C-alpha cells in the first residue's frame, strides 16, 4: 500500500465554494500487488473498497498548514482507511517515527515506513463529538474540552444513495452547543462499496482530529465508547467479556497506534453503560441537542429506525415510563427482537426489559420472555466498572474518577457481572 496526502483546494465537482476557504487534505492510496479490494475491519465486518481517494476538509485557520502536520498524524489518519486492504507493507509519503512503525508492525504484521521522524506529543484533550447520548455524556463530564465533529459529505465520484442521512442536521446541533467546536467534513465513508458507506475502521471518525492535533495542541482524543463497546464485545464483535478488545483497550493494536502518535484514545464513559450515559446526557445542559439518529430532520429523530427503537428502550427505562414507539413487533426493524438471544447490546435489552412498564405489549416482549431480567440482575449497569478508570491517562483520570464517584462504582459482585459476561 502506498499512501499520499496532498494539501490543496477542494475539487470543483464537490461543492467547492460552499466551504469558502476550507483547507482540504486529499488522500490517495495505491494498492500493492499483494493487497486486496476486499477485507475485514478489526471488528470482523467484511467490506469492499469502492475507490482509492477521499478528502478531509478543515475549517480555515489563522496559521499555515501542509507540512506542519506531524507525519505520524497523517499516517494514522490514513491507516484508519487503508488497514483493511493492506497485506504486507505500507509506504507513507513522509517519514514516520520508529514508534509508529513498530505499532503497525506489532498490531498488523505490516511493515511500515519510511522511518525518520521524532515522536510527537500534545497536551489538550478533545472530544470526538457525534451528538449521540454517549458523546454528549462525555461532553458533560469534561465541560471545557473542545469538540471535534465529523460531518459526512458526498464524494465527487460516488453516487450518494444515502441522502436520507442528514449529517447537516447533526452538524447544526453540534454548533448549538456553544462549545469550542471544529466541524470536519469528509467523504471518506464513500471509500466503502460494501456493506454501505461508513468508516473503514471505527477510528476513521478521528481523521479530522488527527489532522488538527498539532494545531489544537491535542494530547488525547476522547470518544463516547461505553461499557458495552469497551468491555462486553460491543455490537457486532464477539459477545463476551473482552479486556483485550483490539479496538478500544489501550494495550490493543489501535490503542497503541494512537498513543504512538501522541494522541491516545480516552474513554471517559468506558466504565458505564448506555443507561448511565443516557441519564448523564439527559440531565446535562445539552439535553435538547442529543441526537442518535442520522435520519431525522431538524424537527427530531425519525422514530422508526432500529437505532431509535433501541435508544427509546433505554430512555424509557431511565425515565421509568412506558415505551413510546410506532414500531410494531411485526415490522422489519423489530425482527431481530423476535428471535432468541444473543442480541447486540444485550445488556441494555435486559436493562430496559427489567424496567419499562408494560414491556409485554412492546416489540421487546419476546426478548423479555427469553431473558427474564430483573432490576436486581441489571443493577450493575447503573454503576462504573473501576478498571475502566485505570485506563484513562493520568492527566484526565482524576476528573473522570471524581465524576464517577458521583455515579457510584461497581461492587466486586457487580464487577464480576462484567467479567463473566457471555461465559454463563
Ligand atoms: Zn431513527
Amino acid at each position: 500500500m502506498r499512501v499520499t496526502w496532498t494539501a490543496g483546494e477542494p475539487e470543483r465537482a464537490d461543492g467547492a465554494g460552499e466551504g469558502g476557504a476550507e483547507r482540504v487534505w486529499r488522500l490517495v492510496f495505491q494498492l500493492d500487488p499483494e493487497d486486496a479490494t476486499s477485507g475485514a475491519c478489526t471488528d470482523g465486518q467484511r467490506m469492499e473498497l469502492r475507490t482509492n481517494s477521499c478528502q478531509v476538509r478543515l475549517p480555515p485557520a489563522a496559521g499555515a498548514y501542509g507540512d506542519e502536520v506531524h507525519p505520524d498524524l497523517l499516517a494514522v489518519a490514513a491507516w484508519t482507511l487503508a488497514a483493511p486492504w493492506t497485506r504486507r507493507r505500507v509506504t507513507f509519503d513522509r517519514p514516520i517515527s520508529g514508534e509508529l512503525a513498530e505499532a503497525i508492525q506489532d498490531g498488523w504484521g505490516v511493515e511500515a515506513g519510511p522511518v525518520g521522524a521524532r515522536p510527537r506529543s500534545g497536551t489538550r484533550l478533545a472530544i470526538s463529538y457525534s451528538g449521540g447520548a454517549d458523546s454528549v455524556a462525555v461532553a458533560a463530564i469534561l465541560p471545557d474540552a473542545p469538540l471535534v465533529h465529523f460531518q459526512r459529505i458526498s464524494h465527487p465520484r460516488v453516487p450518494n444513495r444515502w441522502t436520507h442521512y442528514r449529517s447537516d442536521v447533526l452538524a447544526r446541533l453540534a454548533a448549538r452547543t456553544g462549545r469550542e467546536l471544529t466541524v470536519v467534513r469528509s467523504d471518506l465513508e464513500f471509500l466503502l462499496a460494501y456493506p454501505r458507506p461508513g468508516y473503514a475502521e471505527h477510528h476513521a471518525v478521528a481523521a479530522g482530529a488527527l489532522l488538527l492535533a498539532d494545531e489544537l495542541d491535542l494530547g488525547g482524543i476522547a470518544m463516547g465508547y461505553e461499557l458495552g463497546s469497551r468491555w462486553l464485545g460491543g455490537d457486532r464483535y464477539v459477545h463476551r467479556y473482552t479486556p483485550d478488545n483490539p479496538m478500544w483497550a489501550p494495550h490493543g493494536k489501535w490503542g497503541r497506534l494512537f498513543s504512538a502518535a501522541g494522541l491516545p484514545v480516552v474513554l471517559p464513559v468506558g466504565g458505564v453503560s448506555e443507561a448511565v450515559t443516557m441519564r448523564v446526557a439527559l440531565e446535562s445542559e445539552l439535553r435538547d441537542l442529543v441526537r442518535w439518529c442520522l435520519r431525522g430532520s431538524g424537527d427530531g429523530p425519525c422514530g422508526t429506525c432500529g437505532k431509535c427503537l433501541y435508544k427509546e428502550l433505554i430512555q424509557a427505562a431511565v425515565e421509568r415510563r412506558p415505551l413510546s414507539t410506532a414500531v410494531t413487533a411485526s415490522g422489519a426493524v423489530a425482527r431481530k427482537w423476535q428471535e432468541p438471544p444473543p442480541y447486540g447490546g444485550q445488556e441494555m435489552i435486559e436493562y430496559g426489559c427489567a424496567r419499562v412498564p408494560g414491556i409485554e405489549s412492546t416489540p421487546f416482549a419476546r426478548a423479555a420472555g427469553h431473558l427474564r431480567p430483573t432490576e436486581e440482575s441489571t443493577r450493575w449497569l447503573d454503576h462504573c466498572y473501576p478498571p475502566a478508570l485505570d485506563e484513562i491517562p493520568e492527566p484526565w483520570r482524576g476528573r473522570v474518577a471524581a465524576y464517577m464517584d458521583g455515579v457510584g462504582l461497581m461492587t466486586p459482585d457487580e464487577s464480576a457481572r462484567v467479567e463473566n459476561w457471555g461465559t454463563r
Side-chain angles (χ1 to χ4, degrees):
M1 183 68 74
R2 286 166 190 281
V3 172
T4 309
W5 278 108
T6 316
E9 296 298 309
E11 284 189 51
R12 308 267 346 149
D14 194 16
E18 179 190 340
E22 271 182 318
R23 297 167 294 162
V24 179
W25 279 97
R26 184 154 188 269
L27 172 71
V28 177
F29 49 82
Q30 279 182 285
L31 278 62
D32 288 330
E34 70 273 13
D35 293 337
T37 57
S38 63
C41 68
T42 307
D43 75 6
Q45 172 69 50
R46 300 292 308 171
M47 47 185 57
E48 279 170 34
L49 184 64
R50 175 186 287 272
T51 186
N52 70 333
S53 72
C54 63
Q55 302 172 54
V56 181
R57 302 186 182 197
L58 311 177
Y65 72 119
D67 288 337
E68 292 185 8
V69 175
H70 193 287
D72 283 0
L73 297 170
L74 294 167
V76 171
W79 192 241
T80 67
L81 302 167
W85 333 108
T86 306
R87 297 293 177 266
R88 247 201 324 261
R89 72 174 61 84
V90 56
T91 308
F92 297 106
D93 58 343
R94 297 157 171 82
I96 59 172
S97 71
E99 285 77 357
L100 193 75
E102 198 178 309
I104 294 176
Q105 176 70 55
D106 291 353
W108 285 265
V110 167
E111 188 187 321
V115 170
R118 289 164 180 261
R120 77 167 285 279
S121 62
T123 58
R124 301 172 79 204
L125 179 65
I127 298 170
S128 174
Y129 181 85
S130 67
D134 302 328
S135 71
V136 168
V138 173
I141 292 168
L142 300 166
D144 43 20
L147 311 181
V148 180
H149 177 76
F150 180 98
Q151 181 183 357
R152 172 190 290 191
I153 55 174
S154 46
H155 192 288
R157 286 179 302 283
V158 179
N160 182 13
R161 301 191 185 89
W162 297 78
T163 50
H164 56 290
Y165 270 33
R166 294 296 305 274
S167 61
D168 57 320
V169 170
L170 296 182
R172 273 205 299 280
L173 289 170
R176 285 172 49 199
T177 57
R179 301 273 296 252
E180 180 185 343
L181 169 75
T182 308
V183 176
V184 173
R185 309 197 313 147
S186 177
D187 58 9
L188 62 82
E189 294 173 274
F190 290 95
L191 291 173
L192 295 189
Y194 174 88
R196 66 184 74 81
Y199 304 128
E201 294 277 3
H202 295 282
H203 299 74
V205 71
L210 284 155
L211 300 185
L212 288 160
D214 281 342
E215 184 175 315
L216 299 178
D217 184 29
L218 302 185
I221 179 75
M223 296 195 181
Y225 290 94
E226 36 60 61
L227 180 77
S229 299
R230 166 64 189 90
W231 298 96
L232 305 180
D235 206 21
R236 61 183 186 190
Y237 193 57
V238 288
H239 192 70
R240 58 176 160 74
Y241 177 55
T242 50
D244 301 326
N245 184 328
M247 290 175 290
W248 307 119
H251 56 277
K253 62 182 182 180
W254 284 101
R256 286 193 53 199
L257 184 81
F258 273 68
S259 291
L263 196 74
V265 174
V266 180
L267 304 184
V269 295
V272 293
S273 75
E274 291 175 87
V276 174
T277 58
M278 180 71 79
R279 194 173 284 124
V280 170
L282 294 179
E283 287 173 358
S284 80
E285 60 181 22
L286 302 176
R287 73 161 288 149
D288 295 336
L289 305 175
V290 178
R291 180 73 64 86
W292 45 73
C293 171
L294 262 168
R295 298 165 186 248
S297 69
D299 301 330
C302 79
T304 57
C305 73
K307 186 88 176 274
C308 280
L309 179 61
Y310 174 78
K311 288 290 189 179
E312 166 60 14
L313 178 70
I314 298 169
Q315 184 171 355
V318 164
E319 296 179 341
R320 297 280 184 169
R321 57 163 174 81
L323 202 69
S324 168
T325 181
V327 177
T328 61
S330 56
V333 162
R335 190 171 299 143
K336 61 184 165 185
W337 313 118
Q338 313 317 311
E339 306 290 324
Y343 310 118
Q346 181 169 313
E347 76 281 7
M348 296 318 303
I349 304 303
E350 293 188 13
Y351 185 93
C353 288
R355 284 170 175 73
V356 170
I359 196 74
E360 59 283 351
S361 53
T362 72
F364 296 102
R366 299 185 76 137
H370 285 295
L371 299 168
R372 304 206 162 279
T374 64
E375 291 200 24
E376 183 55 38
S377 76
T378 55
R379 187 156 293 136
W380 57 290
L381 294 163
D382 279 328
H383 300 136
C384 177
Y385 181 54
L389 298 175
D390 300 335
E391 294 193 337
I392 296 176
E394 200 277 326
W396 307 293
R397 187 185 308 140
R399 289 183 64 185
V400 177
Y403 192 96
M404 292 303 165
D405 271 343
V407 170
L409 300 184
M410 289 187 190
T411 64
D413 280 355
E414 289 175 336
S415 289
R417 301 297 302 265
V418 176
E419 290 155 13
N420 294 323
W421 184 250
T423 61
R424 283 162 295 170

